[in-house]
């Protein structure tokens, strides 16, 4: 996936509430989705998600990125339609 794909994976993780659910909606494995989100965090140089074995939560930077990313992806869908 490209940068947009990494962004889409991150948005799906947040919206679905887990890597497993996001993976199912993206037709990928949970480990692949985790790698995409980690690659995004590495590229940005920030942590977007707090991860524990039982829960995910957004960092303050993640909240801002999620809001903007969701709008960007919606704009892409609109322009392609």
């Amino acid at each position: 996936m490209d940068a947009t794909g990494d962004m889409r994976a991150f948005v799906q993780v947040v919206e679905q509430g887990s890597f497993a659910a996001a993976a199912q909606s993206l037709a990928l494995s949970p480990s692949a989705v985790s790698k995409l989100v980690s690659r995004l965090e590495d590229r940005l140089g920030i942590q977007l998600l707090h991860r524990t074995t039982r829960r995910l939560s957004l960092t303050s930077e993640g909240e801002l990125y999620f809001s903007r990313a969701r709008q960007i992806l919606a704009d892409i869908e609109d322009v392609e339609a």
Side-chain angles (χ1 to χ4, degrees):
M1 284 193 167
D2 56 6
T4 306
D6 296 350
M7 184 186 299
R8 190 175 312 280
F10 170 72
V11 168
Q12 282 296 310
V13 167
V14 175
E15 289 180 345
Q16 300 292 328
S18 74
F19 285 98
Q24 188 173 21
S25 71
L26 295 168
L28 297 170
S29 70
S31 64
V33 173
S34 179
K35 287 178 187 175
L36 291 172
V37 173
S38 291
R39 183 172 67 182
L40 174 63
E41 290 175 323
D42 289 345
R43 189 173 64 249
L44 296 174
I46 56 173
Q47 184 178 2
L48 298 170
L49 294 168
H50 293 293
R51 299 163 176 86
T52 67
T53 55
R54 298 196 182 270
R55 163 182 158 121
L56 294 173
S57 61
L58 288 166
T59 63
S60 58
E61 294 88 354
E63 289 178 21
L64 178 61
Y65 188 86
F66 173 69
S67 176
R68 295 289 311 274
R70 198 163 71 175
Q71 183 59 53
I72 289 166
L73 292 172
D75 289 346
I76 290 169
E77 288 179 22
D78 286 346
V79 76
E80 288 183 354

